[in-house]
Amino acid sequence: MAANAGRRASRGTNARGRNTYAHLQRVALELFLRDGYEATTVDVIVAEAGVSRRTFFHHFQTKLDVLWGDSFDELSRFSQLLWARREPDIRDALLAAIVEHGEGGQYDEVDLLRFQVVRASDLAASYAATWQVEMRRTLGAWLADRSGRTDDDPGVRAAAAALEALRGFVVEEWAASGGQANVGELASAALDVVDIDLT
């Protein structure tokens, strides 16, 4: 599955293409949740969505790409926001990046559906592991740069792992609230109990 993780789904370049992409993704995720990921074929998805197989494969290489969605594009976007922060305190900078990312519409109904599908399937462990590795890499590189250390420094690696776990907590709490909880408030409460000293 890790090999598929870096693939990007194609939304299309115009409004119609983006709408078709979003429609296919929502229909597929609802079917995955209702009938199970394995039991839901591409043929079932296109029949329910009212599109052709060709249209499906224009937007997604595989049905797994539907599940991944824009996850890694979002990680890249979060990384850009993180590296742009200039707050002197690491926690303040991280919180600002999380809030800005959340305000940019990262967390929506499709993300909630995706989370529910992953949790209800046997894909949860491999999905989470792949995401965690990439997030830890991102956070580790950023922390190393901020602290003047290397990203293989044990302190940097431990801090990156702790912050990735914090991100997981925020997402879990957000999903448990049915997508109603404020991501910034959750992240702020979690960061209040994390002590990071890489000076």
Side-chain angles (χ1 to χ4, degrees):
M1 175 153 156
N4 290 325
R7 292 183 181 166
R8 303 295 194 269
S10 170
R11 286 181 179 245
T13 55
N14 58 36
R16 183 176 176 193
R18 288 189 299 274
N19 288 340
T20 301
Y21 171 91
H23 175 65
L24 276 166
Q25 189 173 47
R26 177 176 293 282
V27 167
L29 289 169
E30 287 172 350
L31 289 168
F32 294 161
L33 190 59
R34 186 187 76 196
D35 302 332
Y37 175 81
E38 293 299 331
T40 304
T41 65
V42 170
D43 288 331
V44 170
I45 295 168
V46 298
E48 186 75 19
V51 300
S52 68
R53 285 177 59 86
R54 181 177 175 164
T55 298
F56 178 90
F57 288 113
H58 172 74
H59 292 283
F60 302 100
Q61 294 179 27
T62 67
K63 70 176 187 175
L64 187 58
D65 289 337
V66 178
L67 185 61
W68 282 102
D70 293 335
S71 298
F72 285 84
D73 289 334
E74 285 300 326
L75 178 57
S76 176
R77 184 173 166 272
F78 174 72
S79 177
Q80 291 170 357
L81 293 171
L82 190 59
W83 282 84
R85 301 313 311 176
R86 295 290 176 247
E87 291 83 354
D89 183 80
I90 287 174
R91 286 175 297 184
D92 290 345
L94 180 62
L95 180 59
I98 290 170
V99 169
E100 187 175 354
H101 191 226
E103 288 172 351
Q106 183 224 353
Y107 302 110
D108 60 19
E109 291 176 24
V110 171
D111 292 304
L112 186 57
L113 267 174
R114 181 178 296 113
F115 184 87
Q116 292 167 338
V117 169
V118 169
R119 285 291 177 231
S121 72
D122 59 358
L123 298 169
S126 56
Y127 181 96
T130 303
W131 180 263
Q132 287 167 352
V133 167
E134 294 303 317
M135 180 59 86
R136 283 184 192 173
R137 255 189 223 137
T138 296
L139 290 167
W142 178 72
L143 289 168
D145 182 73
R146 290 291 302 251
S147 65
R149 298 183 183 194
T150 62
D151 55 1
D152 63 348
D153 178 282
V156 167
R157 289 173 48 220
L163 292 176
E164 191 289 316
L166 180 146
R167 181 216 58 88
F169 164 80
V170 169
V171 172
E172 295 249 355
E173 290 295 304
W174 172 81
S177 75
Q180 299 303 307
N182 181 290
V183 171
E185 290 174 7
L186 289 171
S188 180
L191 279 168
D192 282 346
V193 298
V194 174
D195 186 19
I196 300 170
D197 184 6
L198 291 174
T199 57

